[in-house]
Amino acid sequence: MRDNEGVGEMSSRSGAIDGVRVLGIVAVVAGHTLNTSLVRPLFFTWHVPLFFFLAGYFWSDRRTLTEELSKRVGTLGLPYVSWMLLIAVPFVLLDATLEKFSIGRLLGPFYNGEQSAMPYTTFWFVSALFFTVMLLRLLGRFPPVVVWAVGAAGSLLGYVAGNTLAQTPLSIGSAFPCLIFVLLGTFAAQMRSRIAKPALLGSVLMAVSAALIATGIDSPLDIKVGNFGTPVVSVLVAAAISFALVLLTEVTFSHLPKLVSGLATQFAYAGFTVVLVHPLVLWLMLRFFPTVPDWTIFALALTVPWLLGVLSIRTAASQWLTGTKRLKSTRAIT
């Protein structure tokens, strides 16, 4: 399971970790659709760093650079290209007919990651994650002290010039400050076997993080625009919440029927589709439909792409649409 970091990884899975992935995706959609004062402190503090953390939590030192590239092209690159093209069809037609078409919005994720606007709001994240894990793989030939030094320097650079890094093509510059989240995930994985009381530690990490957020000591992150919150504190809180979610979910799932784990894994398989497609649903509803409550938008932006993803994993196009191989039977995951 250590090698199971992607949303669509088809190897041995943990239903509990897939539950964490599902929770993170729900938080991402909520952060984009719900307009309340609690959204930023509740979700932006951890929802994007969580996926970088999990990439580190299941990091494998055995993979070569070529193998890493091949894997990431399959799990991240193919869905990125597929949905970029598929979303462009309604985007160009509707934008040109009902609004004023802008080639800048269409190509924004390519030449300036920060300009990933609706309906491509989340595409910056995919490329940033891709380049971050490739960066770590490149650094794998160096001693750990060097890797952590680069991670610390990248984190510092994020505070000093995060916005400039976010404006690089494909958000490639954001890989440097995001590397620290992946490294903290690898550290948490190394410590996991030594934790005798995961529920207690998870509760403590969550309580301390909540206190830092409530008091304003910890500021929410917005990695898309290069905002990394309170120096040092926000990075550590994001990692602490991510690890707490892993520990608490593992404990919770150990008391639940295996069917729950199987369902969590199915939803996790389909989750990458939700990440990429929910901004399209949001854009369509905001631009071309009557005004409805935020909770209605949230529900539709969450369920419509997830239904599409669940259907896609059972088709020959699964690798292109979800980043995972076709799921021929649910027996293996239930």
Side-chain angles (χ1 to χ4, degrees):
M1 271 186 316
R2 286 288 306 279
D3 195 28
N4 178 16
E5 73 288 337
V7 179
E9 177 71 18
M10 288 297 292
S11 60
S12 175
R13 305 278 298 206
S14 162
I17 302 301
D18 283 329
V20 176
R21 292 188 178 99
V22 169
L23 181 61
I25 293 169
V26 172
V28 167
V29 177
H32 289 156
T33 56
L34 300 180
N35 186 23
T36 71
S37 59
L38 292 177
V39 165
R40 292 191 66 82
L42 283 180
F43 301 128
F44 279 73
T45 307
W46 59 273
H47 65 357
V48 172
L50 170 68
F51 294 99
F52 291 93
F53 178 90
L54 290 178
Y57 195 74
F58 290 106
W59 189 256
S60 171
D61 292 328
R62 297 186 299 273
R63 195 176 298 147
T64 66
L65 180 63
T66 302
E67 291 171 340
E68 189 72 51
L69 178 61
S70 176
K71 171 185 172 58
R72 300 302 172 172
V73 167
T75 59
L76 299 175
L78 294 184
Y80 183 101
V81 172
S82 298
W83 286 113
M84 175 66 73
L85 296 175
L86 289 172
I87 291 174
V89 175
F91 172 63
V92 172
L93 291 176
L94 290 173
D95 220 31
T97 303
L98 302 176
E99 292 189 334
K100 184 178 180 180
F101 175 68
S102 170
I103 192 67
R105 288 228 310 277
L106 180 64
L107 301 179
F110 291 105
Y111 67 82
N112 184 337
E114 185 186 355
Q115 297 302 314
S116 299
M118 286 192 292
Y120 293 109
T121 310
T122 53
F123 278 68
W124 73 270
F125 159 75
V126 181
S127 54
L129 179 59
F130 178 90
F131 289 115
T132 301
V133 295
M134 292 307 301
L135 173 60
L136 181 55
R137 187 61 64 191
L138 282 170
L139 293 172
R141 66 190 66 185
F142 298 102
V145 63
V146 175
V147 179
W148 278 92
V150 173
S155 182
L156 177 62
L157 187 62
Y159 292 111
V160 175
N163 183 253
T164 301
L165 296 175
Q167 293 178 18
T168 53
L170 297 171
S171 291
I172 187 172
S174 294
F176 293 97
C178 287
L179 177 63
I180 192 66
F181 297 115
V182 184
L183 292 175
L184 289 170
T186 64
F187 176 75
Q190 294 168 4
M191 295 296 103
R192 178 63 184 90
S193 61
R194 306 179 188 180
I195 299 173
K197 297 181 179 181
L200 177 60
L201 178 59
S203 299
V204 170
L205 289 174
M206 195 65 76
V208 172
S209 299
L212 292 172
I213 295 170
T215 56
I217 296 176
D218 171 65
S219 300
L221 301 86
D222 193 344
I223 298 177
K224 178 183 177 182
V225 300
N227 180 2
F228 289 87
T230 306
V232 181
V233 175
S234 291
V235 167
L236 294 179
V237 167
I241 293 176
S242 298
F243 195 27
L245 289 173
V246 169
L247 296 174
L248 295 174
T249 306
E250 285 179 346
V251 173
T252 301
F253 270 61
S254 68
H255 298 291
L256 296 176
K258 291 184 178 180
L259 176 62
V260 177
S261 293
L263 290 174
T265 296
Q266 281 199 66
F267 282 119
Y269 283 153
F272 198 22
T273 301
V274 183
V275 172
L276 293 176
V277 178
H278 81 268
L280 173 63
V281 178
L282 176 60
W283 177 70
L284 290 172
M285 296 190 69
L286 292 178
R287 299 292 186 183
F288 310 114
F289 284 80
T291 302
V292 295
D294 287 351
W295 284 101
T296 302
I297 297 176
F298 166 70
L300 291 175
L302 188 68
T303 57
V304 172
W306 229 317
L307 176 61
L308 179 61
V310 169
L311 294 175
S312 296
I313 61 175
R314 290 168 172 78
T315 70
S318 180
Q319 187 78 59
W320 288 88
L321 299 178
T322 70
T324 187
K325 297 177 182 178
R326 182 179 184 179
L327 183 64
K328 297 182 180 180
S329 171
T330 60
R331 181 181 304 174
I333 61 176
T334 57

